[in-house]
Amino acid sequence: GLVGPATNWRLPFVILAAPSLLLALLLLFTVQEPPRGAFEEALRGQLAAGAAYSESISWRKVRQLLAIPSNWIIVLQGLPGSLPWGVMATYINDYLHLNQGYSVERATVVILMFGLG
């Protein structure tokens, strides 16, 4: 919204990607990832004995979870709540610009204010 109209649509992506890549490299070389399950109380004895936690998700487990009717209710209740937020985040800038007469920059600032709370 603020940089794109003044330059081109690619520059905002580069501006956001550059520090993100630098931070990713910094974290890669300075932070050690804990072993999987290290903070699970139930696995402390197993990990202390030198065994590794090797459990992983599989389609069989997903099918088992979806066989429980209450899990479908949880999934289905989330769809109506998340779709409007996705639409608003995607199209509100265009709406404010095209329908309300805001400049792209001003529409972006309005969305930024909502995001900041």
Side-chain angles (χ1 to χ4, degrees), residues 22-84:
L22 291 174
L23 181 61
L25 289 172
L26 176 71
L27 292 174
L28 178 67
F29 294 114
T30 61
V31 176
Q32 182 178 2
E33 187 172 353
R36 188 170 188 184
F39 295 103
E40 298 293 329
E41 188 67 37
L43 297 175
R44 294 221 175 166
Q46 179 182 347
L47 294 173
Y53 181 69
S54 61
E55 195 70 30
S56 64
I57 192 77
S58 68
W59 285 110
R60 181 182 59 78
K61 292 177 185 175
V62 171
R63 283 192 296 275
Q64 285 176 339
L65 288 172
L66 293 179
I68 302 169
S70 58
N71 286 343
W72 276 106
I73 293 170
I74 292 169
V75 170
L76 292 175
Q77 67 82 29
L79 290 175
S82 61
L83 287 175

Side-chain angles (χ1 to χ4, degrees), residues 8 18-19 21 37 52 58-59 78 85 88 97 102 109-110 117:
N8 63 45
L21 288 173
S58 68
W59 285 110
W85 288 108
M88 283 195 298
H97 175 63
Y102 287 29
V109 171
V110 169

